[in-house]
Amino acid sequence: AELMDDFNEINESLGRNFATPEGLDEADLEAELDMLEDELEEEAEAEADATPSYLLPNTPTGEPAERVDEYGLPASALTS
């Protein structure tokens, strides 16, 4: 009888739901999942629309641009 009581106590402990609150139903979980899916889709779209930094044009730093020759070498290297 004592073994059977222990067995029933273990089954009751394992049968409890510790992960989700009691007041949460299937509709609430579905709504939360839909909201998360929408958020992930928006993030994926934003990343797909963004231009990678290596494709963006160079922005001037305010310093005068150095002259370069036809090979992209500084023109000052030829004159010195």
Side-chain angles (χ1 to χ4, degrees):
E2 189 175 319
L3 186 59
M4 194 64 148
D5 290 337
D6 290 343
F7 176 75
N8 287 335
E9 185 178 341
I10 291 172
N11 276 338
E12 286 177 16
S13 295
L14 292 175
R16 288 187 203 148
N17 189 358
F18 293 102
T20 57
E22 292 295 321
L24 206 59
D25 63 351
E26 192 72 24
D28 292 337
L29 292 174
E30 284 294 326
E32 182 76 18
L33 181 61
D34 290 340
M35 185 179 69
L36 290 172
E37 287 175 345
D38 291 343
E39 188 176 312
L40 286 174
E41 287 176 7
E42 289 174 5
E43 287 178 6
E45 288 174 4
E47 288 177 6
D49 292 341
T51 304
S53 61
Y54 62 88
L55 293 178
L56 293 175
N58 289 336
T59 55
T61 59
E63 299 175 11
E66 188 174 5
R67 291 186 18 213
V68 294
D69 64 6
E70 64 213 49
Y71 303 109
L73 298 172
S76 60
L78 296 175
T79 58
S80 51

